[in-house]
Amino acid sequence: MTSTKKFMTLERFINEQEQLHPNATGEFTGLLHDLSLAAKLVWREVSKAGLVNILGTTHRLNVSGDVVKKLDEFADETVYRAMDHGGHVCVMASEENEDILHIPDHYKAGKYVFLFDPLDGSSNIDANITLGTIFAIYERVSKEGKGTLEDCLQPGYKQLAAGYIIYGTSTMFVYTTGRGVHGFTLDPSVGEFLLSHENIRVPKKGKIYSMNEGNYRNWDDGMKYFVDYLKETDKTTNRPYSLRYIGTMVGDAHRTLLYGGIFAYPGDKNNPEGKLRLCYECNPMAFIIEQAGGRSSNGKHSILQVQPTALHQHTPVFLGSEEDVLICEEFLSGNR
Ligand code: P6P
């Protein structure tokens, strides 16, 4: 019996989703198509990075002080150039650029705002470990013309869409527009992303915790007690948990989305706001996790409620299964 599953490409899915919005102008659809192309162009270089002279560093630091790898720079330019001329976007912002990125004057400025981390997991590039591209899409708040910083500093609950491309054992495009979370796996033989994970749901409770426990000594007591709790043996509450940590947010968040448990990058006494960036890492991942029935938190409340004040600001981030994140919040608030 051959599968009755629809042969659904990302492009076809995006077009069908547009039909659900009677007033759609097609601009949003066009933006997602441009992004799908960018994803394939980045995948093409990432998948052969070891073979061409694109590994190694540019000997430049980005705004977060991270060494910029050649592949980082390639991905940043590729995503920007794929998105800058379609007339759908009025402004962009990227992890690799301190200031907002304007649309060239000779192109039309559209009504959307595009924030992205072009290649998350840079420190893993040369070791051939999972990498990712993360994106968040908003509607502009400025009236017309060039987009502004204010357009980029919107709280996460205003995201129209968010998602990531994960370059792992296979390459997947995972995104939400507020109607569930859907995953598309790239079939390199035809160059199409095919629907492989429709309506992903996070398990209510998991058995995996994912964080850099090397920072344990610098964590607050509540965080230490939470991790100690996860490692105690208690069969009634399915403990001890297993530790899984890739060191690429996209990889750790994707596994958490599918398997459940909790991913965290807490603040500590040296970096009270943690390491991960609110606008183009934590907000998109929080939107994805919450749309899949999970929970996100900055330790107190949903990440999506935070009002950004700076483009590259950090935030403590906890995301995953609802029960696991709730227990974590109880420890952090001293109520457990
Ligand atoms: P650490 C990768 O460099 C990154 O920005 C995220 O993708 C990842 O979650 C985090 O840093 C890993 O940081 O301190 O554990 O190496």
Side-chain angles (χ1 to χ4, degrees), residues 34 184 193 195:
D34 291 348
F184 300 77
F193 283 104
L195 181 61

Side-chain angles (χ1 to χ4, degrees), residues 120-123 212 245 247-249 263 265 275-277 281:
D120 173 55
S122 318
S123 52
N212 183 342
Y245 192 64
T248 296
M249 183 190 198
F263 167 77
Y265 209 106
K275 175 180 182 181
L276 300 184
R277 276 60 55 120
E281 289 176 328

Side-chain angles (χ1 to χ4, degrees), residues 33-135:
H33 285 318
D34 291 348
L35 180 56
S36 167
L37 172 63
K40 294 174 195 173
L41 293 172
V42 173
W43 162 77
R44 186 179 60 183
E45 292 309 306
V46 166
S47 60
K48 62 184 181 185
L51 302 174
V52 297
N53 178 29
I54 199 164
L55 291 177
T57 80
T58 61
H59 304 295
R60 188 169 59 83
L61 297 182
N62 68 13
V63 64
S64 303
D66 299 327
V67 172
V68 178
K69 301 272 189 169
K70 290 178 184 172
L71 209 47
D72 257 348
E73 199 162 81
F74 169 83
D76 189 46
E77 285 169 15
T78 300
V79 174
Y80 175 80
R81 287 174 47 207
M83 307 300 289
D84 71 347
H85 57 280
H88 313 304
V89 173
C90 66
V91 66
M92 292 187 251
S94 154
E95 185 209 23
E96 296 300 333
N97 299 271
E98 184 158 3
D99 300 320
I100 60 176
L101 300 169
H102 286 296
I103 303 305
D105 291 340
H106 50 287
Y107 292 138
K108 169 178 167 287
K111 64 180 181 180
Y112 297 112
V113 178
F114 187 77
L115 313 182
F116 63 107
D117 180 355
L119 204 62
D120 173 55
S122 318
S123 52
N124 287 326
I125 289 177
D126 295 352
N128 196 24
I129 293 172
T130 300
L131 301 170
T133 299
I134 312 172
F135 63 90

